[in-house]
Amino acid sequence: MIDLPRGVRVSDSRTEYGSEQALPLIVAEAAQCRAVFALQGAQLLSFVPTGDEDWLWLSPKAVFSEGAAIRGGIPLCLPWFGVNRRDATLPKHGFARQREWQLLEASSDKDGLILRFAIESTPEEQARFPWAYSAQVAYRLGRELECDLVICNRSQQSLPLSFAMHSYFAADTAAASVQGLGGGDYLDNTQGLAKCRLTAAQRFDGEVDRVFEQVGGVQELVTGKGPLAIAGQGCDTVVVWNPGAILADKMDDVAEHYSDYICVERGMAFADELLLPPKGCHHAQMRIWRP
């Protein structure tokens, strides 16, 4: 662990969230905001600008256990998103969200906090997924939130890369909507990825699991608690998701809390999947603010 500056400390999930297991966390506080990270997945769990509410949702039923996905915050799904399209037996959403990352930097300046994490693929992963990769993510946190993700191919062959910054936002589903989804064409994952078209703002009156390809731009999420704007570069896919009551009832780490969040994710997936050349890197940036 690197030397931590004033306002940044090591904690654990037992202390911060009352969990049964003590998964390591980093708590960072500055004049502009407070943030909590899990080293597992380099996952931002909470982001509270001073004087505001938490922009992110962390399930009250989240499981803090080594190797288990944490429900909420911003999981980083890589080096593939969703079910691997070449080998469905591989873990959903890639290896990285369930591995401990290395904290490379923790600092603060006049604008807020900067935390940087890194990971490299392991021989065990390469035995199942024959590409070596590395990733770094830098979070810049102040009055807004910025996530800079760099994924590099360390192999001698081109890497099929898809990924997502799988953001869970605190929202009232009854009041929530999303605008800025391009022409409205999407793949509906509740209908076997059938091609459909959205003709109005996206709302949430049941299960919604939609992939908007080649969108980019800025999305505005009305949360019922104040709007949020989400923009990105190098992450043109937008995934909008909420399980609705029926599916959530089968999800132990969501259950009755499904109506408290909306996922608006930025990444590159499906038609936006990349073929990263040997030694090549891809840079994606997601920025979130109050408009």
Side-chain angles (χ1 to χ4, degrees), residues 5-264:
R6 182 179 179 181
V8 180
R9 60 184 171 86
V10 178
S11 186
D12 60 54
S13 55
R14 187 178 297 167
T15 299
E16 300 299 322
Y17 295 111
S19 72
E20 295 182 358
Q21 299 195 47
L23 205 66
L25 305 179
I26 301 294
V27 180
E29 298 178 271
Q32 299 88 345
C33 63
R34 181 181 189 273
V36 181
F37 296 85
L39 284 176
Q40 180 170 286
Q43 187 166 337
L44 179 59
L45 303 177
S46 172
F47 174 66
V48 185
T50 301
D52 203 343
E53 297 182 1
D54 203 325
W55 290 6
L56 303 177
W57 178 82
L58 179 67
S59 175
K61 297 178 179 288
V63 175
F64 293 92
S65 179
E66 185 177 347
I70 304 170
R71 179 72 67 186
I74 306 181
L76 301 176
C77 303
L78 63 96
W80 63 87
F81 171 76
V83 176
N84 188 286
R85 295 199 285 170
R86 292 162 182 83
D87 183 355
T89 68
L90 289 168
K92 188 176 181 181
H93 291 321
F95 298 119
R97 66 174 181 158
Q98 296 174 336
R99 283 195 41 213
E100 185 167 307
W101 292 48
Q102 179 184 4
L103 179 62
L104 298 180
E105 176 188 359
S107 60
S108 59
D109 58 23
K110 63 181 178 60
D111 297 317
L113 299 161
I114 302 170
L115 288 96
R116 188 184 307 273
F117 303 84
I119 193 174
E120 293 186 358
S121 58
T122 66
E124 292 78 15
E125 291 174 358
Q126 292 167 38
R128 302 183 64 191
F129 182 76
W131 292 274
Y133 68 91
S134 65
Q136 286 196 22
V137 60
Y139 295 93
R140 294 176 175 84
L141 310 168
R143 298 304 304 171
E144 59 183 50
L145 187 165
E146 185 178 294
C147 177
D148 284 289
L149 177 63
V150 179
I151 306 167
C152 296
N153 180 8
R154 301 304 183 190
S155 304
Q156 299 299 321
Q157 55 185 331
S158 295
L159 166 67
L161 172 67
S162 62
F163 67 90
M165 294 168 275
H166 194 320
S167 309
Y168 289 74
F169 294 104
D172 174 3
T173 56
S177 64
V178 182
Q179 298 186 17
L181 294 169
D185 292 333
Y186 65 90
L187 304 178
D188 193 333
N189 204 28
T190 69
Q191 301 183 56
L193 295 175
K195 292 185 178 181
C196 303
R197 171 160 289 192
L198 183 70
T199 58
Q202 175 67 64
R203 298 191 181 276
F204 302 87
D205 55 1
E207 182 182 357
V208 172
D209 191 351
R210 298 177 174 180
V211 179
F212 295 82
E213 302 164 305
Q214 301 174 356
V215 173
V218 180
Q219 288 70 54
E220 182 165 318
L221 170 62
V222 174
T223 67
K225 304 177 181 182
L228 289 171
I230 303 140
Q233 296 180 342
C235 47
D236 295 336
T237 310
V238 180
V239 180
V240 180
W241 178 66
N242 181 272
I246 296 173
L247 178 59
D249 190 54
K250 303 174 184 177
M251 302 169 68
D252 292 341
D253 57 358
V254 177
E256 70 273 17
H257 300 289
Y258 74 93
S259 60
D260 296 333
Y261 76 89
I262 297 295
C263 285
V264 181

